[in-house]
Amino acid sequence: MSGKLFVIGLGPGSPDQVTPQANAAVAAARWFYGYKPYLERLDLRPDQTKIASDNREELSRASEALARAAEGETVAIVSGGDPGVFAMAAAVCEAIEAGPAEWKSVEIEVVPGVTAMLAVAARIGAPLGHDFCAISLSDNLKPWEVVEQRLEAATRAGFVIALYNPISRARPWQLGKALDLLRAVLPSATPVIFGRAAGRPDERIEIVALAEASAEKADMATCVIIGSPETRTIPRDGLSPLVYTPRSLATR
Amino acid sequence: MSGKLFVIGLGPGSPDQVTPQANAAVAAARWFYGYKPYLERLDLRPDQTKIASDNREELSRASEALARAAEGETVAIVSGGDPGVFAMAAAVCEAIEAGPAEWKSVEIEVVPGVTAMLAVAARIGAPLGHDFCAISLSDNLKPWEVVEQRLEAATRAGFVIALYNPISRARPWQLGKALDLLRAVLPSATPVIFGRAAGRPDERIEIVALAEASAEKADMATCVIIGSPETRTIPRDGLSPLVYTPRSLATR
C-alpha cells in the first residue's frame, strides 16, 4: 500500500514562474510538507493540510513525508526554486536510502522549477551565458576548506560562479571570506550580482564591481553571481545595464 | 521609437513545463525568431509571424530581431530550456554591444525557463543535489583545450558536471574524448546520465557507469550529467533507480 511523494519546485517566487506541472502536483496532493515561507505560497483546499518545519530540518521533514506516503497517501514536499538544486530532492533520496524498506516502494515525482540563479540572471542580461558553476556557501554540511578549494578551482576553470545559501545568522562571515578569496584572484572590475527575491514584489537586484562587493548586500534570500574574467557590462541610457558572459572565448 | 524584445525560455519541451510568464510573453509579441524546432512548439495567432533560422546562426538571428524591435515592434526570440544557459540571451547581449546605438534603447525582457539539466535531474532523483557545474562541449566558440582544462578543474573541485551540446554531426569526437578524460580521474562506477528530451513523448533517460559510458548514447538533444565521487544510486524493486548527490560531505 504505497502512496506517492511529489517533490515540487515552486520557482523563485512569482506565481508567473510556477509551471503547470507544479500546479497540477499541488492539486493532486493531500499533505504538504515544507519550510513555512514556501508553504505560505500555496492556496490550498479545505481537504489539504500543511505541515511546516524549520529550514534546517530537511532530513526529518523528508522522513515524515515518506512515512506518510508509505501509508498510501499522496504527499508533497515543496521547495522554492528547483527542488534538485540545494533543496529537498537530495534530502528525500538520503532519507529513502537510510530508511525502512517500504520507503523504496513510494513513487517519487520530482517536479523541476526555475532555480534562483536563472531568475536572477534573466533580470540583468545573461551572466550565465557561458560555462558556470553553482556552489552552496553553507559549511553546515561540508567543511569550509572544501568551499575554499571549490571556489579556487572554479576561478582556475574560468567559470562564472553562482553562490547559493550565501549568508545566515548562524553563518555570518563565510560570504565575506569568499569575496576576499575571489578578490585575490579575479580582476577587481569583475561584475558581482546580488539578486534577492527575483520576480517578487520585494525584488532587489544590485550589480557592483568585485572590489566593492561586501557581504552586507546579501541575506538568506539572495543568490550571488560572480562574473568570470570574460563577463561584460553594457551601460544603457535610461535603461539598467546589461551584464553578460559571451558565448565565445575565441572571438574576443 | 524603440520596441521590446522578449528572450523566452520554453523549457525542456513539455507544455506542462512552460511558465505562465513565457506564455504571456508569447501572447504579447508579434514577430518570433528562433531555431525551427523551438518555433514549432508555438501555437500562434494569424497576426503573429515566425521567422526560423538555423541553430548556428544565433548572432544574425539576434541582430535581425533587434533591428525589428528598434523599429518599434514587439519581438520575441525563443529558446528551449532557459535562454540564459548556452542559448539566445548571451547572443542578444553580444549583438547589442556590437550593434548600432539605437539597439541599446530596446527594452529587453529575458523570461527564464527550466533548463535541460534540471529537467533531466528531476527524472532520476537529485544528481545535482550538491555543488555542480555546467559546461558546453562545443568547441565552435572556444578552443578544445579550454574544455579539457575546465573538465579537469571540475573533477578536482568535486563538482557534478552537466554537459550541454555534447555532440553533433560537425562535432562527432568531443564527447568520447571528454568521457575518456573523465574516466582517467573519476571512479569507474561514477553514474553517468544521458538525458534526452526530458518530459517529452520521445524522452529517453539512461544511467550507466562511467566505465560503460559511450558517446553513441548521446545526440544533439541530450544533456549528459556526470556524477561526482559522492553521487550514489539507490536500486528499487519494480521502480527505476534513484541517482542523487548527498547534500553533505561531512556525514559520509
Side-chain angles (χ1 to χ4, degrees):
Chain A
M1 180 57 189
S2 289
K4 177 161 185 174
L5 176 59
F6 291 101
V7 190
I8 304 173
L10 294 176
S14 164
D16 264 3
Q17 294 179 335
V18 181
T19 66
Q21 186 189 12
N23 286 323
V26 168
R30 167 82 179 75
W31 301 92
F32 292 80
Y33 292 83
Y35 178 44
K36 199 166 170 231
Y38 302 139
L39 285 176
E40 281 169 354
R41 291 196 205 162
L42 303 174
D43 192 18
L44 298 183
R45 302 183 305 263
D47 67 312
Q48 296 176 307
T49 303
K50 294 180 185 178
I51 297 142
S53 43
D54 191 74
N55 70 339
R56 279 185 289 177
E57 295 175 359
E58 288 95 349
L59 205 56
S60 60
R61 178 191 304 146
S63 299
E64 281 176 52
L66 281 160
R68 180 86 70 178
E71 292 166 3
E73 298 280 349
T74 303
V75 180
I77 295 180
V78 295
S79 284
D82 179 87
V85 176
F86 309 119
M88 286 303 299
V92 167
C93 292
E94 287 169 37
I96 290 172
E97 189 170 25
E102 62 263 32
W103 292 3
K104 293 194 177 66
S105 306
V106 173
E107 187 189 348
I108 307 293
E109 182 173 335
V110 180
V111 179
V114 173
T115 185
M117 64 181 166
L118 304 184
V120 169
R123 296 295 287 150
I124 54 137
L128 306 177
H130 203 58
D131 302 333
F132 64 92
C133 65
I135 299 178
S136 168
L137 222 51
S138 170
D139 56 354
N140 292 334
L141 295 166
K142 68 189 163 202
W144 177 251
E145 302 74 60
V146 171
V147 177
E148 291 198 343
Q149 286 160 16
R150 290 181 174 181
L151 289 169
E152 279 160 14
T155 59
R156 272 200 305 273
F159 289 142
V160 173
I161 303 171
L163 297 177
Y164 281 71
N165 305 320
I167 200 163
S168 74
R169 254 171 305 193
R171 295 182 291 101
W173 55 263
Q174 285 80 347
L175 178 57
K177 193 144 185 197
L179 291 169
D180 286 344
L181 184 157
L182 295 167
R183 262 188 286 272
V185 288
L186 290 173
S188 58
T190 302
V192 177
I193 301 137
F194 292 87
R196 189 183 178 286
R200 300 208 295 263
D202 54 338
E203 171 182 293
R204 194 178 64 228
I205 312 274
E206 203 174 347
I207 306 164
V208 299
L210 180 56
E212 277 87 52
S214 72
E216 297 87 65
K217 294 183 186 297
D219 67 8
M220 271 182 63
T222 305
C223 181
V224 182
I225 300 178
I226 320 282
S228 78
E230 306 291 319
T231 305
R232 305 175 62 78
T233 302
I234 312 175
R236 297 185 299 171
D237 283 346
L239 291 171
S240 56
L242 293 170
V243 179
Y244 81 103
T245 307
R247 300 163 304 140
S248 166
L249 284 174
T251 63
R252 299 198 50 241
Chain B
M1 179 59 189
S2 289
K4 176 161 183 173
L5 175 60
F6 291 100
V7 189
I8 304 173
L10 294 176
S14 163
D16 264 3
Q17 295 180 332
V18 181
T19 66
Q21 184 188 13
N23 285 322
V26 168
R30 168 80 179 76
W31 301 92
F32 292 80
Y33 292 83
Y35 178 44
K36 199 167 170 232
Y38 302 140
L39 285 175
E40 280 170 356
R41 292 198 205 159
L42 303 175
D43 192 17
L44 299 182
R45 301 184 305 264
D47 67 313
Q48 296 177 308
T49 303
K50 295 179 184 178
I51 297 140
S53 43
D54 191 73
N55 71 339
R56 279 185 289 177
E57 294 174 1
E58 288 95 350
L59 205 57
S60 60
R61 177 191 304 145
S63 299
E64 281 176 51
L66 281 161
R68 181 86 68 176
E71 291 166 3
E73 297 282 348
T74 303
V75 179
I77 295 179
V78 295
S79 283
D82 179 88
V85 176
F86 308 119
M88 287 302 299
V92 167
C93 291
E94 287 169 36
I96 290 172
E97 190 171 24
E102 61 263 32
W103 291 3
K104 293 194 176 65
S105 306
V106 172
E107 187 189 350
I108 307 293
E109 182 173 335
V110 180
V111 179
V114 174
T115 184
M117 65 181 165
L118 304 184
V120 170
R123 297 295 287 151
I124 54 137
L128 305 176
H130 203 58
D131 303 333
F132 64 93
C133 66
I135 299 178
S136 169
L137 222 52
S138 170
D139 56 353
N140 292 334
L141 295 165
K142 67 189 164 203
W144 177 251
E145 302 74 56
V146 171
V147 177
E148 291 198 343
Q149 287 160 15
R150 289 181 175 183
L151 289 170
E152 280 161 13
T155 59
R156 273 201 305 273
F159 289 141
V160 173
I161 303 171
L163 297 178
Y164 280 70
N165 305 319
I167 200 162
S168 73
R169 253 171 304 194
R171 295 181 294 100
W173 56 264
Q174 285 81 347
L175 177 58
K177 193 143 186 198
L179 291 170
D180 286 343
L181 184 156
L182 294 168
R183 263 190 285 273
V185 289
L186 289 172
S188 58
T190 303
V192 177
I193 301 137
F194 292 87
R196 189 184 178 286
R200 300 208 294 262
D202 55 338
E203 171 182 293
R204 193 178 65 227
I205 312 275
E206 203 175 347
I207 306 165
V208 299
L210 180 55
E212 277 88 53
S214 71
E216 297 86 67
K217 294 183 186 298
D219 67 7
M220 270 183 66
T222 304
C223 181
V224 182
I225 300 178
I226 320 283
S228 79
E230 306 291 319
T231 304
R232 304 174 63 78
T233 302
I234 311 175
R236 296 186 300 170
D237 283 346
L239 291 172
S240 56
L242 293 170
V243 179
Y244 80 103
T245 307
R247 300 162 305 139
S248 166
L249 283 176
T251 64
R252 299 201 47 244

